Amino acid sequence: MARRYSDIKRGAKLQQAFTNLQAYEAAAATRPSKIGTRGARGLNKTVYIAPFTTHIDADEIVQARVKPEAFTIISPAILGGTTKADIAETLGAKSLVTFPSFRASRIVFFQNASRIATVARSERTNMEYLKYTGNTYSCPFGATVDADDEMEAFLDIKAALLTTFANSEVKRVSLSREFVGVGR
């Protein structure tokens, strides 16, 4: 019987959060800007891959970008041990091909070695939530040969990633699929 009224009780709590959010948005003009308080972002590293969904010749390659710290973590240790995914640091003898609105396949993972979560309070709604201390990394990857499958390559990288990091240090691993847009 108590479950029937849980949405009503939750609605009252969320109504207060909605009121707090409206007050936060109304006071937007009075808050100081946070632009420039964290410093400049680091430069991205240019890498080269072979796409999964679009055919290119054997002497062609596509450019992608990755943050250097993500590349350092995933590329030598994990991508070096897979047989279905590849990433190159140099263009070599291959020629660069560009596609409109191309986004490479990416493996995204959350690393949290300390397993610490703290209770934080939202400045917008004043509701409590769990805040995990950890880092999210994302690295593009491409095919080794033309017949490679994107999902098989992802599962191969995921297995290598989970065996490389012990003690459940990696919490979430996901795939951001490759996308090739239509020209404008």
Side-chain angles (χ1 to χ4, degrees), residues 1 19 30 33 64-65 81 92 96 110 124 134:
M1 184 77 121
T19 304
T30 62
S33 173
R65 299 216 180 261
L96 191 62
F110 178 71
R124 296 174 187 215

Side-chain angles (χ1 to χ4, degrees), residues 37-76:
T37 59
R38 297 180 75 188
R41 289 183 188 165
L43 294 175
N44 286 339
K45 180 179 184 62
T46 301
V47 293
Y48 304 96
I49 60 163
F52 288 100
T53 58
T54 303
H55 174 72
I56 59 173
D57 293 334
D59 63 339
E60 296 176 330
I61 203 158
V62 178
Q63 178 178 310
R65 299 216 180 261
V66 63
K67 292 190 188 260
E69 51 276 358
F71 185 77
T72 303
I73 289 173
I74 201 166
S75 180

